[in-house]
Amino acid sequence: MTIGSLPPRYRISIDPVRCMECERCIENCSYGVFRRDGDRILVNSRNCTACHRCIACCPRDAISLEEHPCDYRSHPLWTREAREAIYNQARTGKIILAGMGNALDYPVIFDRLVLDACQVTNPSLDPLREPIELRTHIGKKPTRLDLRRREGGDVELQTPLTPNLQVETPIMVGHMSYGAISLNAQVAMARAVTKAGTFMGTGEGGLHSALYPYQDHMIVQVASGRFGVNIDYLERGAAIEIKVGQGAKPGIGGHLPGEKVCADISRTRMIPPGSDAISPAPHHDIYSIEDLAQLVRALKEATEWKKPVFVKIAAVHNAAAIAAGIARSPADAVVIDGFRGGTGAAPRVFRDHVGIPIEAAVASVDKKLREQGIRNEISVIASGGIRGSADVAKAIALGADAVYIGTAALVAMGCRVCGNCYRGLCPWGIATQRPDLVQRLNPDAASEQVANLIHAWTLELAELLGAAGINSIESLRGNRDRLRGYMLDESLMQVLDVRQVGA
Amino acid sequence: MSTVAKRVVIDGKGVHYTPLNQQIRKAVKDGAEEIVISNVLGQRFIGDGLRGNATIHVYGVPGGDLAIFMSGPTIIVHGNAEHAPGNTMDAGKVVIHGNAGDAVAHSMRGGKVFVRGDIGYRGGIHMKQYEAQCPILVVGGSAQTFLGEYMAGGLLIVLGLNGPVRARDIGSGIHGGEIVIRGDVDAACLATGARKVPLADEDRRRIAPVIREFAGDFGLDPEPLVNAEYTRIIPASARPFVGKYTWE
Ligand code: SF4
Ligand code: SF4
């Protein structure tokens, strides 16, 4: 034995006094932790992923879960993760893949920013009494308006306007493909965004026919693999998004393993069943910013200039310059995906080490666009690690027009952020295609929950705006005066363009 | 624009691509079977997302992304074409009587692209097939490096009629479909993930109609081409990335 077995990550224990042997844990656990032996429920903790399905379904609260029941000798540098990655690679010699977002303990900038409120001199607004406008429009805004007065005295707009997306709340759901998540999960979110008057992304997996009823609220994605992309798909979407990069794995492509390409996914992606769906790292028709502008134009031309086109990039060091380049193309919005963005699977080294935080990326993009006088040419959508309405408000104050949420929407449907999406056994019916698991996710109930979440955050945003004496979300956009940095260093505050608390 | 029965003639001189495509769309909608566009000079996106089954003759040099997202029509270019003709095309046919630029038939899912002359780099990159849809790219001349990279399906034939085929790094990351090149291909010109095999009789029977169609379109004698020596390049594995990764 050289390395031997590693200490278990989790320990599950059942309190025999509380347990009534109903076997719900056995039925619900897709990882095979539980089994029955006579009148006892036995556990194999090594199979546990901390998905909490058993805990959620146990009628007697008999199950307890402990993380790292037996740890290594603590060491600030040689963490458990560092040591276990070495054991893994020493055994396999391979690249480590991992799920969900960045798992390193970087400071969260959002948590070092505080919002403002009115006291005495400028009274706050009461959302009950005053209308607080949360509706916004995503897309290009004209530099100037040419208005002419007609005979009868009516004013007529002469400037041609580019199509915008009207969103009733600045919270949209980002791109999670059919394949990465189940159809029930997509349908649930599609219903929720339709109800909330907002939009969601298809991801790069095509548009399943079950989503056609919600297509006016879907943003169809065109990624480097061009899966599921044809003229019908482009025409169905309310907007089209070119995915250049993704915060969880900037600079590399994607790869849906053949095992996950079942008949239905094959039809939606338009690839043979069982074949690997490989998205190359770059789009092979985009090798420059001019080429990107050309694809934007090609998509607009295909849809007769009726649809807004978004471009999504990962937040990387020169995101601001790239965004300024995108703003000079006919693209209508740039999505900046921060390094905390989630994913079903990404090489761990990319997930944890490549890219920059969304807070800094959005602030620098907004600043660059304003400096160049082209902020009106493009909307900015922030994504990657938005956990609550406060993050939404802070992202907007740093310069975003709206945000995309991803993980938060999954959590609203039961996801416990266990990070095992890649195994395809999600016991919540979200990141799985196994029919018995998928049917656990009731699209009606789940859509209600996602809609509730968006509604609740929207209410909170209205309250936050009212308290700050602001009556429209557009007046919060880029409004650094309503933000202060708390325990942030000076250079970072310069990047964010915020002052420190007390100043 | 003048209309004779089901034939429409459009003068492309100095017309921006959007009004040009609008005229094409209108002609298709009005039932034109043949559309002739003259004086084309660099307009991109001709036939972008176009449906139907009209035949469009392009005289001059169209710009990039000819027939991108196209689904049905036939476009015949009497001249050279810029980069990426047939990009993400779904169905239909593009016939180019001259040469074409880089990324010809990029991500094409169905239909045919026939180029009489040479093509640039990354030809047939990430072509893919699905059910009855099988994209076909035939190049009369030579192709440059990265031919058939990431190819996931379809048929790519290079005839090398103008001299030796210059492509190197052929089929890197190929995981579906086949590349057929006239003559022998040095193993050093294949990229990782690609493997060469002899063209079997049944393969020849399968590609013969395609070669005959190509020869017919360009007035070539088909039989010497049908009976020539070919090298067939296929994926070494349908799963090029299996074995590269381990789970956390
Ligand atoms: S779900 Fe709870 S009560 Fe039922 S068998 Fe499992 S541990 Fe016992
Ligand atoms: S979606 Fe992924 S992280 Fe969430 S519970 Fe399912 S497997 Fe775990």
mmCIF file of all heavy atoms in Angstrom, chain A residues 48-87:
data_model
loop_
_atom_site.group_PDB
_atom_site.id
_atom_site.type_symbol
_atom_site.label_atom_id
_atom_site.label_comp_id
_atom_site.label_asym_id
_atom_site.label_seq_id
_atom_site.Cartn_x
_atom_site.Cartn_y
_atom_site.Cartn_z
ATOM 1 N N CYS A 48 -21.479 9.002 0.281
ATOM 2 C CA CYS A 48 -22.264 10.222 0.510
ATOM 3 C C CYS A 48 -21.626 11.425 -0.188
ATOM 4 O O CYS A 48 -20.405 11.579 -0.216
ATOM 5 C CB CYS A 48 -22.358 10.477 2.009
ATOM 6 S SG CYS A 48 -23.246 11.984 2.411
ATOM 7 N N THR A 49 -22.495 12.311 -0.765
ATOM 8 C CA THR A 49 -22.020 13.536 -1.409
ATOM 9 C C THR A 49 -22.527 14.784 -0.688
ATOM 10 O O THR A 49 -22.376 15.889 -1.193
ATOM 11 C CB THR A 49 -22.518 13.614 -2.863
ATOM 12 O OG1 THR A 49 -23.948 13.717 -2.822
ATOM 13 C CG2 THR A 49 -22.123 12.403 -3.678
ATOM 14 N N ALA A 50 -23.203 14.590 0.425
ATOM 15 C CA ALA A 50 -23.808 15.694 1.177
ATOM 16 C C ALA A 50 -24.874 16.416 0.361
ATOM 17 O O ALA A 50 -25.012 17.630 0.422
ATOM 18 C CB ALA A 50 -22.752 16.682 1.672
ATOM 19 N N CYS A 51 -25.629 15.650 -0.418
ATOM 20 C CA CYS A 51 -26.700 16.267 -1.204
ATOM 21 C C CYS A 51 -27.921 16.548 -0.332
ATOM 22 O O CYS A 51 -28.843 17.243 -0.763
ATOM 23 C CB CYS A 51 -27.111 15.365 -2.362
ATOM 24 S SG CYS A 51 -28.087 13.947 -1.819
ATOM 25 N N HIS A 52 -27.945 15.949 0.877
ATOM 26 C CA HIS A 52 -29.002 16.210 1.857
ATOM 27 C C HIS A 52 -30.377 15.683 1.474
ATOM 28 O O HIS A 52 -31.357 16.046 2.108
ATOM 29 C CB HIS A 52 -29.125 17.716 2.142
ATOM 30 C CG HIS A 52 -28.204 18.183 3.219
ATOM 31 N ND1 HIS A 52 -28.464 19.292 3.986
ATOM 32 C CD2 HIS A 52 -27.028 17.692 3.658
ATOM 33 C CE1 HIS A 52 -27.476 19.470 4.841
ATOM 34 N NE2 HIS A 52 -26.585 18.521 4.657
ATOM 35 N N ARG A 53 -30.461 14.873 0.449
ATOM 36 C CA ARG A 53 -31.780 14.376 0.075
ATOM 37 C C ARG A 53 -32.378 13.553 1.212
ATOM 38 O O ARG A 53 -33.554 13.669 1.534
ATOM 39 C CB ARG A 53 -31.657 13.530 -1.201
ATOM 40 C CG ARG A 53 -32.955 12.990 -1.726
ATOM 41 C CD ARG A 53 -33.755 14.046 -2.445
ATOM 42 N NE ARG A 53 -35.081 13.526 -2.772
ATOM 43 C CZ ARG A 53 -35.987 14.188 -3.478
ATOM 44 N NH1 ARG A 53 -35.722 15.403 -3.928
ATOM 45 N NH2 ARG A 53 -37.166 13.665 -3.726
ATOM 46 N N CYS A 54 -31.546 12.726 1.853
ATOM 47 C CA CYS A 54 -32.060 11.862 2.929
ATOM 48 C C CYS A 54 -32.549 12.689 4.099
ATOM 49 O O CYS A 54 -33.604 12.427 4.680
ATOM 50 C CB CYS A 54 -30.979 10.869 3.368
ATOM 51 S SG CYS A 54 -29.453 11.662 3.955
ATOM 52 N N ILE A 55 -31.768 13.733 4.403
ATOM 53 C CA ILE A 55 -32.130 14.568 5.547
ATOM 54 C C ILE A 55 -33.447 15.283 5.274
ATOM 55 O O ILE A 55 -34.303 15.418 6.141
ATOM 56 C CB ILE A 55 -30.974 15.554 5.844
ATOM 57 C CG1 ILE A 55 -29.795 14.745 6.409
ATOM 58 C CG2 ILE A 55 -31.408 16.656 6.813
ATOM 59 C CD1 ILE A 55 -28.509 15.493 6.533
ATOM 60 N N ALA A 56 -33.633 15.681 3.994
ATOM 61 C CA ALA A 56 -34.856 16.380 3.634
ATOM 62 C C ALA A 56 -36.071 15.461 3.652
ATOM 63 O O ALA A 56 -37.194 15.925 3.823
ATOM 64 C CB ALA A 56 -34.701 17.007 2.254
ATOM 65 N N CYS A 57 -35.867 14.156 3.452
ATOM 66 C CA CYS A 57 -37.049 13.288 3.361
ATOM 67 C C CYS A 57 -37.290 12.461 4.616
ATOM 68 O O CYS A 57 -38.329 11.830 4.740
ATOM 69 C CB CYS A 57 -36.957 12.396 2.125
ATOM 70 S SG CYS A 57 -35.706 11.141 2.258
ATOM 71 N N CYS A 58 -36.367 12.456 5.566
ATOM 72 C CA CYS A 58 -36.549 11.634 6.765
ATOM 73 C C CYS A 58 -37.644 12.238 7.653
ATOM 74 O O CYS A 58 -37.526 13.386 8.074
ATOM 75 C CB CYS A 58 -35.233 11.538 7.543
ATOM 76 S SG CYS A 58 -35.441 10.693 9.127
ATOM 77 N N PRO A 59 -38.701 11.466 7.914
ATOM 78 C CA PRO A 59 -39.808 12.045 8.697
ATOM 79 C C PRO A 59 -39.467 12.201 10.177
ATOM 80 O O PRO A 59 -40.201 12.833 10.919
ATOM 81 C CB PRO A 59 -40.936 11.034 8.491
ATOM 82 C CG PRO A 59 -40.253 9.743 8.187
ATOM 83 C CD PRO A 59 -38.978 10.087 7.487
ATOM 84 N N ARG A 60 -38.365 11.596 10.616
ATOM 85 C CA ARG A 60 -38.073 11.574 12.046
ATOM 86 C C ARG A 60 -36.829 12.358 12.437
ATOM 87 O O ARG A 60 -36.389 12.252 13.579
ATOM 88 C CB ARG A 60 -37.885 10.107 12.481
ATOM 89 C CG ARG A 60 -39.172 9.312 12.522
ATOM 90 C CD ARG A 60 -40.014 9.757 13.706
ATOM 91 N NE ARG A 60 -41.236 8.993 13.822
ATOM 92 C CZ ARG A 60 -41.341 7.857 14.487
ATOM 93 N NH1 ARG A 60 -40.296 7.333 15.057
ATOM 94 N NH2 ARG A 60 -42.488 7.251 14.561
ATOM 95 N N ASP A 61 -36.255 13.076 11.507
ATOM 96 C CA ASP A 61 -34.995 13.779 11.791
ATOM 97 C C ASP A 61 -33.968 12.845 12.422
ATOM 98 O O ASP A 61 -33.269 13.213 13.365
ATOM 99 C CB ASP A 61 -35.230 14.976 12.730
ATOM 100 C CG ASP A 61 -35.771 16.176 11.975
ATOM 101 O OD1 ASP A 61 -35.661 16.173 10.730
ATOM 102 O OD2 ASP A 61 -36.293 17.090 12.618
ATOM 103 N N ALA A 62 -33.921 11.634 11.885
ATOM 104 C CA ALA A 62 -33.032 10.639 12.497
ATOM 105 C C ALA A 62 -31.616 10.673 11.941
ATOM 106 O O ALA A 62 -30.720 10.036 12.481
ATOM 107 C CB ALA A 62 -33.636 9.240 12.295
ATOM 108 N N ILE A 63 -31.436 11.393 10.815
ATOM 109 C CA ILE A 63 -30.147 11.318 10.116
ATOM 110 C C ILE A 63 -29.291 12.527 10.457
ATOM 111 O O ILE A 63 -29.768 13.660 10.444
ATOM 112 C CB ILE A 63 -30.369 11.257 8.590
ATOM 113 C CG1 ILE A 63 -31.262 10.061 8.243
ATOM 114 C CG2 ILE A 63 -29.041 11.173 7.829
ATOM 115 C CD1 ILE A 63 -31.696 9.988 6.811
ATOM 116 N N SER A 64 -28.027 12.298 10.766
ATOM 117 C CA SER A 64 -27.137 13.450 10.883
ATOM 118 C C SER A 64 -25.926 13.246 9.995
ATOM 119 O O SER A 64 -25.509 12.117 9.709
ATOM 120 C CB SER A 64 -26.742 13.722 12.332
ATOM 121 O OG SER A 64 -26.199 12.565 12.891
ATOM 122 N N LEU A 65 -25.407 14.383 9.530
ATOM 123 C CA LEU A 65 -24.305 14.352 8.573
ATOM 124 C C LEU A 65 -23.193 15.218 9.128
ATOM 125 O O LEU A 65 -23.428 16.359 9.537
ATOM 126 C CB LEU A 65 -24.797 14.897 7.236
ATOM 127 C CG LEU A 65 -23.861 14.795 6.027
ATOM 128 C CD1 LEU A 65 -24.696 14.931 4.761
ATOM 129 C CD2 LEU A 65 -22.771 15.824 5.987
ATOM 130 N N GLU A 66 -22.011 14.684 9.112
ATOM 131 C CA GLU A 66 -20.869 15.421 9.624
ATOM 132 C C GLU A 66 -19.859 15.550 8.497
ATOM 133 O O GLU A 66 -19.568 14.564 7.810
ATOM 134 C CB GLU A 66 -20.274 14.584 10.762
ATOM 135 C CG GLU A 66 -19.394 15.307 11.720
ATOM 136 C CD GLU A 66 -18.737 14.288 12.660
ATOM 137 O OE1 GLU A 66 -19.305 13.187 12.887
ATOM 138 O OE2 GLU A 66 -17.637 14.597 13.144
ATOM 139 N N GLU A 67 -19.330 16.750 8.279
ATOM 140 C CA GLU A 67 -18.318 16.925 7.241
ATOM 141 C C GLU A 67 -16.940 16.694 7.862
ATOM 142 O O GLU A 67 -16.677 17.126 8.984
ATOM 143 C CB GLU A 67 -18.409 18.331 6.642
ATOM 144 C CG GLU A 67 -17.513 18.481 5.420
ATOM 145 C CD GLU A 67 -17.761 19.756 4.628
ATOM 146 O OE1 GLU A 67 -18.450 20.648 5.145
ATOM 147 O OE2 GLU A 67 -17.240 19.851 3.493
ATOM 148 N N HIS A 68 -16.080 16.035 7.125
ATOM 149 C CA HIS A 68 -14.716 15.769 7.570
ATOM 150 C C HIS A 68 -14.651 15.189 8.985
ATOM 151 O O HIS A 68 -14.045 15.774 9.872
ATOM 152 C CB HIS A 68 -13.858 17.049 7.518
ATOM 153 C CG HIS A 68 -13.788 17.634 6.141
ATOM 154 N ND1 HIS A 68 -13.360 18.911 5.889
ATOM 155 C CD2 HIS A 68 -14.122 17.118 4.937
ATOM 156 C CE1 HIS A 68 -13.423 19.150 4.589
ATOM 157 N NE2 HIS A 68 -13.889 18.076 3.994
ATOM 158 N N PRO A 69 -15.309 14.043 9.194
ATOM 159 C CA PRO A 69 -15.320 13.476 10.544
ATOM 160 C C PRO A 69 -13.917 13.101 11.019
ATOM 161 O O PRO A 69 -13.648 13.051 12.211
ATOM 162 C CB PRO A 69 -16.190 12.229 10.390
ATOM 163 C CG PRO A 69 -16.119 11.885 8.938
ATOM 164 C CD PRO A 69 -16.005 13.185 8.228
ATOM 165 N N CYS A 70 -13.050 12.829 10.072
ATOM 166 C CA CYS A 70 -11.696 12.461 10.461
ATOM 167 C C CYS A 70 -10.778 13.266 9.568
ATOM 168 O O CYS A 70 -10.686 13.006 8.368
ATOM 169 C CB CYS A 70 -11.521 10.954 10.236
ATOM 170 S SG CYS A 70 -9.826 10.462 10.028
ATOM 171 N N ASP A 71 -10.181 14.297 10.110
ATOM 172 C CA ASP A 71 -9.419 15.192 9.252
ATOM 173 C C ASP A 71 -7.931 14.896 9.329
ATOM 174 O O ASP A 71 -7.470 14.146 10.182
ATOM 175 C CB ASP A 71 -9.717 16.653 9.599
ATOM 176 C CG ASP A 71 -9.851 17.475 8.333
ATOM 177 O OD1 ASP A 71 -9.188 17.130 7.334
ATOM 178 O OD2 ASP A 71 -10.615 18.457 8.339
ATOM 179 N N TYR A 72 -7.214 15.518 8.423
ATOM 180 C CA TYR A 72 -5.758 15.417 8.432
ATOM 181 C C TYR A 72 -5.225 16.338 9.521
ATOM 182 O O TYR A 72 -5.935 17.198 10.032
ATOM 183 C CB TYR A 72 -5.198 15.880 7.086
ATOM 184 C CG TYR A 72 -5.633 15.041 5.912
ATOM 185 C CD1 TYR A 72 -6.902 15.198 5.358
ATOM 186 C CD2 TYR A 72 -4.781 14.101 5.359
ATOM 187 C CE1 TYR A 72 -7.294 14.439 4.271
ATOM 188 C CE2 TYR A 72 -5.176 13.340 4.266
ATOM 189 C CZ TYR A 72 -6.432 13.521 3.729
ATOM 190 O OH TYR A 72 -6.822 12.765 2.659
ATOM 191 N N ARG A 73 -3.989 16.226 9.794
ATOM 192 C CA ARG A 73 -3.341 17.198 10.659
ATOM 193 C C ARG A 73 -3.515 18.559 10.000
ATOM 194 O O ARG A 73 -3.268 18.710 8.806
ATOM 195 C CB ARG A 73 -1.848 16.869 10.755
ATOM 196 C CG ARG A 73 -1.073 17.913 11.500
ATOM 197 C CD ARG A 73 0.326 18.086 10.950
ATOM 198 N NE ARG A 73 0.840 19.378 11.396
ATOM 199 C CZ ARG A 73 1.806 20.044 10.814
ATOM 200 N NH1 ARG A 73 2.354 19.571 9.722
ATOM 201 N NH2 ARG A 73 2.211 21.180 11.274
ATOM 202 N N SER A 74 -4.005 19.548 10.735
ATOM 203 C CA SER A 74 -4.283 20.829 10.101
ATOM 204 C C SER A 74 -2.982 21.511 9.715
ATOM 205 O O SER A 74 -1.953 21.364 10.382
ATOM 206 C CB SER A 74 -5.091 21.720 11.043
ATOM 207 O OG SER A 74 -4.360 21.930 12.217
ATOM 208 N N HIS A 75 -3.042 22.197 8.591
ATOM 209 C CA HIS A 75 -1.892 22.937 8.111
ATOM 210 C C HIS A 75 -2.410 24.032 7.193
ATOM 211 O O HIS A 75 -3.226 23.766 6.321
ATOM 212 C CB HIS A 75 -0.929 22.014 7.348
ATOM 213 C CG HIS A 75 0.382 22.661 7.051
ATOM 214 N ND1 HIS A 75 0.525 23.605 6.071
ATOM 215 C CD2 HIS A 75 1.594 22.528 7.639
ATOM 216 C CE1 HIS A 75 1.778 24.023 6.049
ATOM 217 N NE2 HIS A 75 2.448 23.387 7.008
ATOM 218 N N PRO A 76 -1.954 25.260 7.369
ATOM 219 C CA PRO A 76 -2.536 26.351 6.577
ATOM 220 C C PRO A 76 -2.214 26.266 5.090
ATOM 221 O O PRO A 76 -2.966 26.744 4.268
ATOM 222 C CB PRO A 76 -1.912 27.610 7.195
ATOM 223 C CG PRO A 76 -0.676 27.143 7.882
ATOM 224 C CD PRO A 76 -0.939 25.735 8.313
ATOM 225 N N LEU A 77 -1.111 25.657 4.738
ATOM 226 C CA LEU A 77 -0.729 25.571 3.331
ATOM 227 C C LEU A 77 -1.170 24.249 2.733
ATOM 228 O O LEU A 77 -1.826 24.201 1.708
ATOM 229 C CB LEU A 77 0.792 25.722 3.205
ATOM 230 C CG LEU A 77 1.324 25.733 1.783
ATOM 231 C CD1 LEU A 77 0.845 26.970 1.043
ATOM 232 C CD2 LEU A 77 2.846 25.667 1.777
ATOM 233 N N TRP A 78 -0.815 23.162 3.420
ATOM 234 C CA TRP A 78 -1.144 21.824 2.925
ATOM 235 C C TRP A 78 -2.534 21.456 3.384
ATOM 236 O O TRP A 78 -2.728 20.643 4.262
ATOM 237 C CB TRP A 78 -0.074 20.825 3.362
ATOM 238 C CG TRP A 78 1.215 21.169 2.703
ATOM 239 C CD1 TRP A 78 2.261 21.870 3.241
ATOM 240 C CD2 TRP A 78 1.554 20.917 1.343
ATOM 241 N NE1 TRP A 78 3.236 22.061 2.301
ATOM 242 C CE2 TRP A 78 2.830 21.480 1.120
ATOM 243 C CE3 TRP A 78 0.908 20.277 0.284
ATOM 244 C CZ2 TRP A 78 3.469 21.422 -0.116
ATOM 245 C CZ3 TRP A 78 1.544 20.209 -0.926
ATOM 246 C CH2 TRP A 78 2.808 20.779 -1.114
ATOM 247 N N THR A 79 -3.515 22.104 2.737
ATOM 248 C CA THR A 79 -4.903 21.864 3.092
ATOM 249 C C THR A 79 -5.299 20.456 2.687
ATOM 250 O O THR A 79 -4.591 19.783 1.929
ATOM 251 C CB THR A 79 -5.823 22.839 2.335
ATOM 252 O OG1 THR A 79 -5.577 22.640 0.939
ATOM 253 C CG2 THR A 79 -5.554 24.280 2.701
ATOM 254 N N ARG A 80 -6.442 20.058 3.163
ATOM 255 C CA ARG A 80 -6.977 18.753 2.780
ATOM 256 C C ARG A 80 -7.096 18.665 1.256
ATOM 257 O O ARG A 80 -6.701 17.685 0.635
ATOM 258 C CB ARG A 80 -8.357 18.618 3.428
ATOM 259 C CG ARG A 80 -9.064 17.331 3.108
ATOM 260 C CD ARG A 80 -10.459 17.345 3.737
ATOM 261 N NE ARG A 80 -11.080 16.055 3.490
ATOM 262 C CZ ARG A 80 -11.279 15.144 4.423
ATOM 263 N NH1 ARG A 80 -10.945 15.381 5.658
ATOM 264 N NH2 ARG A 80 -11.834 13.994 4.114
ATOM 265 N N GLU A 81 -7.630 19.756 0.637
ATOM 266 C CA GLU A 81 -7.849 19.749 -0.817
ATOM 267 C C GLU A 81 -6.520 19.601 -1.558
ATOM 268 O O GLU A 81 -6.426 18.856 -2.537
ATOM 269 C CB GLU A 81 -8.553 21.030 -1.267
ATOM 270 C CG GLU A 81 -10.006 21.146 -0.818
ATOM 271 C CD GLU A 81 -10.178 21.419 0.666
ATOM 272 O OE1 GLU A 81 -9.251 21.999 1.285
ATOM 273 O OE2 GLU A 81 -11.228 21.040 1.219
ATOM 274 N N ALA A 82 -5.492 20.328 -1.072
ATOM 275 C CA ALA A 82 -4.193 20.251 -1.750
ATOM 276 C C ALA A 82 -3.643 18.835 -1.671
ATOM 277 O O ALA A 82 -3.164 18.271 -2.665
ATOM 278 C CB ALA A 82 -3.221 21.237 -1.116
ATOM 279 N N ARG A 83 -3.744 18.244 -0.492
ATOM 280 C CA ARG A 83 -3.201 16.895 -0.346
ATOM 281 C C ARG A 83 -3.997 15.888 -1.179
ATOM 282 O O ARG A 83 -3.433 15.044 -1.864
ATOM 283 C CB ARG A 83 -3.217 16.475 1.134
ATOM 284 C CG ARG A 83 -1.996 16.991 1.878
ATOM 285 C CD ARG A 83 -2.062 16.685 3.354
ATOM 286 N NE ARG A 83 -2.705 17.777 4.070
ATOM 287 C CZ ARG A 83 -2.668 17.929 5.401
ATOM 288 N NH1 ARG A 83 -2.033 17.049 6.153
ATOM 289 N NH2 ARG A 83 -3.244 18.942 5.971
ATOM 290 N N GLU A 84 -5.327 16.018 -1.160
ATOM 291 C CA GLU A 84 -6.134 15.013 -1.872
ATOM 292 C C GLU A 84 -5.985 15.125 -3.379
ATOM 293 O O GLU A 84 -6.069 14.125 -4.093
ATOM 294 C CB GLU A 84 -7.592 15.092 -1.421
ATOM 295 C CG GLU A 84 -7.697 14.620 0.026
ATOM 296 C CD GLU A 84 -9.107 14.366 0.514
ATOM 297 O OE1 GLU A 84 -10.067 14.792 -0.158
ATOM 298 O OE2 GLU A 84 -9.233 13.744 1.585
ATOM 299 N N ALA A 85 -5.757 16.353 -3.871
ATOM 300 C CA ALA A 85 -5.523 16.501 -5.311
ATOM 301 C C ALA A 85 -4.235 15.773 -5.693
ATOM 302 O O ALA A 85 -4.160 15.112 -6.729
ATOM 303 C CB ALA A 85 -5.443 17.972 -5.683
ATOM 304 N N ILE A 86 -3.246 15.865 -4.844
ATOM 305 C CA ILE A 86 -1.980 15.180 -5.139
ATOM 306 C C ILE A 86 -2.170 13.664 -5.128
ATOM 307 O O ILE A 86 -1.718 12.970 -6.037
ATOM 308 C CB ILE A 86 -0.880 15.614 -4.146
ATOM 309 C CG1 ILE A 86 -0.540 17.090 -4.385
ATOM 310 C CG2 ILE A 86 0.368 14.733 -4.301
ATOM 311 C CD1 ILE A 86 0.437 17.678 -3.394
ATOM 312 N N TYR A 87 -2.889 13.153 -4.125
ATOM 313 C CA TYR A 87 -3.122 11.697 -4.104
ATOM 314 C C TYR A 87 -3.820 11.264 -5.387
ATOM 315 O O TYR A 87 -3.444 10.283 -6.026
ATOM 316 C CB TYR A 87 -3.979 11.297 -2.899
ATOM 317 C CG TYR A 87 -3.314 11.552 -1.564
ATOM 318 C CD1 TYR A 87 -4.014 12.150 -0.527
ATOM 319 C CD2 TYR A 87 -1.985 11.183 -1.350
ATOM 320 C CE1 TYR A 87 -3.415 12.400 0.692
ATOM 321 C CE2 TYR A 87 -1.375 11.429 -0.120
ATOM 322 C CZ TYR A 87 -2.095 12.044 0.898
ATOM 323 O OH TYR A 87 -1.500 12.291 2.089
#
